[in-house]
Amino acid sequence: MSPTTELIAVGTELLLGKIVNTNARDLSESLSALGINVYYHTVVGDNPERLRQAVEIARNRADIIITTGGLGPTYDDMTKETLAACFGKQLVCCEDIAAKIRAYFADRLPGVQMPENNMRQAYLPEGCTVLRNDCGTAPGCAFYAEGKYVIMLPGPPRECRAMFRSGAVPYLKALSDAEILSHNIHIFGLGDSAVEEKLRGLMQRLTNPTLAPYAKTGEVMLRLTAKAESGAEAERLMTPVLQEVREVLGDVIYGIDADSLEGTVLRLLLDAKKTIATAESCTAGLLSKRLTDLPGASAVFLGGVAAYANEVKTKMLGVPETLIADHGAVSGPVARSMAEGARTRIGADFGIGITGIAGPDGGTAEKPVGTVYVALATAEATYVRNLRLGTDRTRVRMMAAHHALDMVRRYLTNLPVENI
Amino acid sequence: MSPTTELIAVGTELLLGKIVNTNARDLSESLSALGINVYYHTVVGDNPERLRQAVEIARNRADIIITTGGLGPTYDDMTKETLAACFGKQLVCCEDIAAKIRAYFADRLPGVQMPENNMRQAYLPEGCTVLRNDCGTAPGCAFYAEGKYVIMLPGPPRECRAMFRSGAVPYLKALSDAEILSHNIHIFGLGDSAVEEKLRGLMQRLTNPTLAPYAKTGEVMLRLTAKAESGAEAERLMTPVLQEVREVLGDVIYGIDADSLEGTVLRLLLDAKKTIATAESCTAGLLSKRLTDLPGASAVFLGGVAAYANEVKTKMLGVPETLIADHGAVSGPVARSMAEGARTRIGADFGIGITGIAGPDGGTAEKPVGTVYVALATAEATYVRNLRLGTDRTRVRMMAAHHALDMVRRYLTNLPVENI
C-alpha cells in the first residue's frame, strides 16, 4: 500500500478566483508518476485558524501533507508557524538560510537596508530537512512527526515546481515502493456511455491494472494504470488488457497516448507525405486552425477557404451556383464540391469540405440545426458523412471538425471512411 | 454576515493532475462578485466514501456546499447519490428530464438504442430545484436541508459555467441580503501592470465600489463592484468611478460588459452594415473561426483564406510572387497585399491580412519568432501593424488575431488604427 497524500494550498487569492491552483495539478501529476496516491486537494485562505483546522483534517486522512504557499516574508504568510504548531515543533533560525537571504539582498539591492521581515524566512521547524529555493528567497522544508510526513513548498508555480523536483522528489522517493505506469486510450466515434456499456464488466473486474473512462469534449479517453515493482512488470500487466480493449472497441480507437486527434492526423499525413486543403462553411476556419495548432503543420497543410457566404463557395472553390440552388448550401453535393474544389484549386492530395447549420438560426424541419455534411476528396473518390450534431453552436462546430479529422485518419489507415 | 461557501470538486482526473480545477476559480470569482465568501475548495476522487467524508467536513464549516462533477451517466458518477444520502434524501425520477434525455438521444442518434445508464441522469434528490443544462444532458440541482444549501453542478467547465449563471445565480441571489452589481471594463492594447500602474491610487482608495483587475489572456479586464440596498443605488455609486477610469485609460477600453473582442467587432460591423473578409497565414483560420463563434456572423463575415503556403497567397489572394521574393512572406507589403486581396477577391468592405512567424521554427535575426504583420484594407486606405508577440506559438497566434480585431474596432470608432 503506497502512502496517500493531501495537498493543501494556502492563499486567499485562490478563494477569490484570482488565480487557478495549477500547483495542485503539477504536483498531482508528478506524485502520480512517483506512485504516490493523492486523495485530496484542499485550498484555504491566509487564515491561521482555518489552516490549522485543514491540517487537523488532513492528518486524519493522509500519510503525507504537502502545502503550497504562505512561506513568504509578509505577515499573512503563516504556513510554517501553523504547521509547526500543529505538529508540536518550534521554529528555529537557520543560520545558513539567514546568511543566504542577507547575501541575496546585498547582491540585488546594494546599500539598501533589508526589510527585517525577510528574516522570517530563515525560521524553520526544528530538525527539518531544508528544501533549497533556486528561484526565490523563501526556503521550503520537510519533516516527519507524529507518523506523518509534512512538506512545505512555496506558492509561486515556478518556485514550487523547481523545489518539488530538486528537494521533495528525493525526499519522497525513499517512501515509494512501487512503479506506476499508465496508458491513455483515445476514442472517437463512440459516446462515453456506449464505451462504458461495452467495457463495464472488464472495468469492474480489474483491480491491477485499473481501467477508467475520462470524458473529453466530443471524444472519449480511457486510462489504463498498472502498479508493479518495476516498469517492465507494470507493462506486462497492461498488455493483455490493452489487447482486450482493442478487440472490444475496434477501430474507434484512434491512438494510444496520443496528444489529440489533429496531432494524430498531422503525423499520419507526414508519414504518408500527403498534403491537405480545407473548405469550411459552418466551421469557418476552426479545422484549419486546429490543423495548424502544432508546429510542423506547414509540411502538410497548404491552405483553406472559410466559405461562409455562398458567393465565396462559388468564386473561390468553384461550387456551381446551380448545385447550391438545387440542393441547398447545406447538402451532401455541396460538401462534396467544396472538398473537391479545395483539393484541386489549392493543389493538395486531400480536400475537406464542411457545410452545416451551426445554429441557433437557420434550421428547417428537413434540415434542423446541427445538420452537417463533411466530405473528404481524394484522388480516387470523395466520401461524405451526413451528421446530426445537436443544437449547441460551439459543439456542432467542434464535432464537425472532429469528424473531418476522423475521416482523414480512417482513410489513411485503410478503414471505411463514410460510416460512423 | 454573508453566507460562507465550500466548493467540492469531484473527479479522480483532478487528483491525477490530468486536468486543473478551473471550475473552482470560475465559481470563486463569480461568488466573490455576488458578495458570497468562499472559505475552502476541496477536491476528492470518484469515491463515494471519501466524498461522503468531504461533505461531512464541509457541512460543519460552510453554509453553502457547491459540488462540481460526477453528475454524468457512468457508474463512477456518484455525486447525486452521495449528497442525497448525506442529507437524508431519496433520489426520484424526474419525468421532464427523462423525456428530455430520450429526445436528446433520438435527435442525435435516430434508431439507436439509448444505453440505459443515461437514465441515471433523470434521478434527482426529492424536492430539489432542477438546474437545467443547456450545454449537455446531465441536469444539476439545488436544495436546502438541515440548515445547509447544496448546489450540484456538472464537471465540464462550459456546462458548469452556463448552469452556474442560469441556475445557481438566481438561486443564490435570494440568499444574499444586499444588491451587488458589477461592471466589467474590457481593455486591449495596454498590459496589466501598466493598467494597474495608472489606476493604483484609485483602486487602493475605493472601498465601495471596489475596482480589481482580472488578467485575461492577451487582454485586461477590470471589475467594478458595488454593494447597496438597491440596484439603482449600486449603479449610482459606480457611475463616477466608471467615468474616472474612462478618463485615465482612454481608448484602450474596448467595451463595458462586453462578451469578447470579437463580439464587440461583430456588433460594430452589424451597426455599420459593413462586411469583412480575412486572409490568414500564421493564424490559419483562428481569426475567421473567432469572427464566426457568435450567431449572426453571416451578416458581416463573408469568407476568408487560410493562406499557409506561399502558392495559396498567390493563387487565391493575388499576392504577387515578386512581392514575396523581394520582401519575404512575413513582411508588411505581403500583409497589405493579403488584406487587399481578401477584400477585393471576396468582395467585402474590409479585408484583413495576417502573416507572421508563430514558431518554434522559422525565426531569423532580422525577423525572430513572434514577428507578425497585421493589415486592414478599407476602401480608402490600408493600415499595417508590425508586431513582436513573443515566442509562444499559441500566444503569438492569439495575439495576432486580437490585434486584427482591435484594428477593425479602432477604424469603426474613428480612432488611430496603426499605432498601438
Side-chain angles (χ1 to χ4, degrees):
Chain A
M1 176 69 189
S2 66
T4 65
T5 304
E6 173 155 350
L7 306 183
I8 302 180
V10 186
T12 301
E13 65 275 29
L14 289 157
L15 297 179
L16 290 171
K18 292 200 178 225
I19 55 174
V20 60
N21 191 8
T22 53
N23 286 335
R25 193 261 317 270
D26 294 344
L27 297 183
S28 294
E29 200 175 0
S30 304
L31 287 162
S32 162
L34 288 170
I36 296 174
N37 293 320
V38 178
Y39 277 6
Y40 297 95
H41 299 168
T42 296
V43 178
V44 60
D46 299 311
N47 177 301
E49 178 52 22
R50 285 200 283 272
L51 173 57
R52 190 192 63 72
Q53 291 173 14
V55 172
E56 291 307 319
I57 289 165
R59 71 194 297 171
N60 284 321
R61 62 188 186 184
D63 305 307
I64 303 170
I65 298 172
I66 302 181
T67 68
T68 55
L71 299 186
T74 70
Y75 74 94
D76 60 356
D77 290 311
M78 297 294 297
T79 304
K80 279 183 304 189
E81 288 76 355
T82 307
L83 272 284
C86 287
F87 288 91
K89 287 185 168 282
Q90 298 290 318
L91 292 185
V92 294
C93 185
C94 175
E95 283 306 330
D96 280 13
I97 303 280
K100 214 186 129 199
I101 292 169
R102 278 189 210 98
Y104 183 94
F105 269 84
D107 186 43
R108 302 211 169 190
L109 300 162
V112 175
Q113 176 77 31
M114 182 184 73
E116 206 34 50
N117 56 5
N118 278 286
M119 290 318 292
R120 288 188 57 203
Q121 298 178 127
Y123 284 79
L124 293 167
E126 51 185 334
C128 73
T129 301
V130 178
L131 307 181
R132 229 177 43 227
N133 189 332
D134 295 324
C135 310
T137 54
C141 61
F143 63 76
Y144 178 77
E146 303 174 15
K148 304 293 167 185
Y149 294 91
V150 176
I151 299 176
M152 297 183 230
L153 303 171
R158 206 166 59 92
E159 298 181 29
C160 180
R161 273 196 302 271
M163 189 183 291
F164 182 79
R165 206 162 33 226
S166 68
V169 169
Y171 188 86
L172 288 167
K173 272 210 167 146
L175 318 179
S176 175
D177 58 358
E179 193 83 33
I180 296 194
L181 290 183
S182 286
H183 288 301
N184 295 329
I185 303 165
H186 299 270
I187 296 150
F188 179 77
L190 206 59
D192 51 357
S193 50
V195 168
E196 200 180 312
E197 197 89 0
K198 282 175 187 271
L199 292 171
R200 181 173 305 135
L202 182 64
M203 287 192 208
Q204 287 176 344
R205 196 172 73 234
L206 289 171
T207 53
N208 185 26
T210 58
L211 182 67
Y214 292 80
K216 294 179 68 177
T217 338
E219 49 182 286
V220 177
M221 191 183 96
L222 299 172
R223 178 173 288 164
L224 183 65
T225 304
K227 193 166 183 170
E229 283 188 5
S230 70
E233 174 65 11
E235 290 289 4
R236 202 191 57 74
L237 289 170
M238 286 189 284
T239 303
V241 179
L242 211 49
Q243 183 57 32
E244 185 169 350
V245 172
R246 278 185 189 282
E247 275 159 24
V248 172
L249 295 182
D251 60 25
V252 296
I253 296 176
Y254 74 78
I256 307 291
D257 302 325
D259 48 0
S260 62
L261 192 47
E262 49 268 39
T264 302
V265 168
L266 189 65
R267 268 182 303 280
L268 285 170
L269 287 166
L270 284 167
D271 289 349
K273 295 196 182 4
K274 296 288 185 193
T275 57
I276 192 165
T278 55
E280 304 180 64
S281 184
C282 62
T283 50
L286 171 58
L287 177 60
S288 55
K289 181 256 173 201
R290 285 178 59 185
L291 279 168
T292 55
D293 275 346
L294 293 170
S298 57
V300 299
F301 177 72
L302 300 185
V305 174
Y308 223 52
N310 285 345
E311 300 72 51
V312 178
K313 296 182 182 74
T314 307
K315 272 196 286 193
M316 309 287 276
L317 295 163
V319 177
E321 273 178 51
T322 51
L323 202 69
I324 298 176
D326 291 351
H327 300 274
V330 176
S331 64
V334 168
R336 175 182 293 270
S337 177
M338 287 171 68
E340 291 168 357
R343 180 176 175 276
T344 54
R345 295 220 170 181
I346 295 176
D349 295 307
F350 301 125
I352 297 285
I354 301 177
T355 180
I357 302 161
D361 304 319
T364 63
E366 196 203 344
K367 292 177 186 169
V369 167
T371 302
V372 178
Y373 296 86
V374 182
L376 165 65
T378 71
E380 306 83 41
T382 300
Y383 307 87
V384 182
R385 282 189 193 171
N386 172 2
L387 305 159
R388 292 286 163 92
L389 301 173
T391 54
D392 177 81
R393 181 179 177 88
T394 304
R395 190 183 154 88
V396 168
R397 284 158 47 102
M398 188 204 58
M399 290 301 288
H402 271 5
H403 275 278
L405 293 166
D406 187 54
M407 289 175 80
V408 179
R409 171 185 81 87
R410 294 179 69 96
Y411 183 84
L412 286 171
T413 49
N414 299 312
L415 293 168
V417 175
E418 287 187 323
N419 54 320
I420 176 84
Chain B
M1 177 68 189
S2 64
T4 66
T5 305
E6 174 155 349
L7 306 183
I8 301 180
V10 186
T12 302
E13 65 273 30
L14 289 157
L15 297 179
L16 290 170
K18 185 66 194 167
I19 55 174
V20 61
N21 191 8
T22 53
N23 286 336
R25 193 261 316 271
D26 294 344
L27 296 184
S28 294
E29 193 178 346
S30 303
L31 287 162
S32 159
L34 289 171
I36 295 173
N37 293 320
V38 178
Y39 276 6
Y40 297 95
H41 299 169
T42 296
V43 178
V44 60
D46 299 312
N47 177 301
E49 178 52 24
R50 286 200 282 274
L51 173 56
R52 191 192 62 73
Q53 290 173 13
V55 172
E56 291 308 318
I57 290 164
R59 71 194 298 172
N60 283 320
R61 62 188 187 184
D63 305 306
I64 303 171
I65 299 172
I66 302 181
T67 68
T68 55
L71 299 187
T74 71
Y75 76 92
D76 59 357
D77 290 312
M78 296 296 296
T79 304
K80 278 182 304 187
E81 288 76 355
T82 308
L83 272 283
C86 286
F87 288 91
K89 287 185 170 282
Q90 300 289 319
L91 292 186
V92 292
C93 184
C94 175
E95 284 307 330
D96 279 12
I97 303 281
K100 215 185 129 198
I101 292 169
R102 278 188 211 100
Y104 183 93
F105 268 83
D107 184 46
R108 298 203 175 196
L109 299 164
V112 175
Q113 176 79 27
M114 179 183 73
E116 207 34 50
N117 55 5
N118 279 286
M119 291 318 293
R120 287 188 57 203
Q121 298 179 130
Y123 283 79
L124 293 167
E126 50 185 334
C128 73
T129 301
V130 179
L131 306 181
R132 229 178 43 226
N133 189 334
D134 295 323
C135 312
T137 54
C141 60
F143 62 77
Y144 178 77
E146 304 174 15
K148 303 294 168 185
Y149 294 91
V150 175
I151 299 176
M152 297 183 229
L153 302 172
R158 206 166 58 91
E159 298 181 28
C160 180
R161 274 195 303 271
M163 190 182 291
F164 183 79
R165 207 165 29 229
S166 69
V169 168
Y171 188 85
L172 288 166
K173 274 210 168 145
L175 319 178
S176 178
D177 56 359
E179 195 77 34
I180 296 184
L181 290 183
S182 287
H183 288 299
N184 295 331
I185 304 165
H186 299 269
I187 297 151
F188 179 77
L190 205 59
D192 51 357
S193 51
V195 167
E196 227 176 299
E197 195 87 4
K198 282 176 187 270
L199 292 172
R200 184 171 301 136
L202 182 63
M203 287 191 209
Q204 289 176 343
R205 199 172 72 236
L206 289 171
T207 52
N208 185 27
T210 58
L211 182 67
Y214 290 79
K216 296 180 66 177
T217 338
E219 48 182 286
V220 178
M221 192 183 93
L222 298 172
R223 178 173 290 162
L224 184 64
T225 305
K227 192 167 183 170
E229 284 187 2
S230 71
E233 176 63 12
E235 289 290 4
R236 205 190 56 75
L237 290 169
M238 287 190 283
T239 303
V241 180
L242 210 50
Q243 183 57 31
E244 186 169 348
V245 172
R246 278 187 189 281
E247 275 159 25
V248 173
L249 296 182
D251 60 25
V252 295
I253 297 176
Y254 74 76
I256 307 292
D257 302 323
D259 47 0
S260 62
L261 193 46
E262 49 269 38
T264 303
V265 167
L266 189 65
R267 265 182 305 279
L268 285 170
L269 287 166
L270 283 167
D271 289 348
K273 297 195 178 6
K274 297 287 185 192
T275 58
I276 192 164
T278 55
E280 305 179 62
S281 185
C282 61
T283 50
L286 171 58
L287 177 60
S288 56
K289 181 256 175 201
R290 286 177 59 184
L291 278 168
T292 55
D293 275 346
L294 293 170
S298 57
V300 300
F301 177 73
L302 300 185
V305 175
Y308 224 51
N310 286 345
E311 300 71 53
V312 177
K313 295 182 183 72
T314 307
K315 271 195 288 192
M316 308 287 275
L317 295 162
V319 177
E321 273 178 48
T322 51
L323 201 69
I324 297 176
D326 290 352
H327 300 276
V330 176
S331 63
V334 168
R336 176 183 293 270
S337 176
M338 287 172 68
E340 291 168 358
R343 181 177 172 274
T344 54
R345 294 219 171 183
I346 295 177
D349 296 307
F350 301 125
I352 297 286
I354 301 178
T355 179
I357 304 160
D361 304 320
T364 64
E366 196 203 343
K367 291 178 186 169
V369 168
T371 302
V372 177
Y373 297 85
V374 182
L376 165 65
T378 70
E380 305 85 40
T382 300
Y383 307 87
V384 182
R385 283 188 192 172
N386 173 2
L387 304 160
R388 292 287 162 91
L389 301 174
T391 54
D392 177 81
R393 182 178 176 88
T394 304
R395 190 184 155 85
V396 168
R397 285 159 46 105
M398 188 205 57
M399 290 301 288
H402 271 5
H403 275 279
L405 293 166
D406 187 54
M407 289 174 80
V408 179
R409 172 185 79 87
R410 293 178 70 94
Y411 182 84
L412 286 171
T413 49
N414 300 310
L415 294 167
V417 174
E418 287 187 322
N419 54 318
I420 175 85

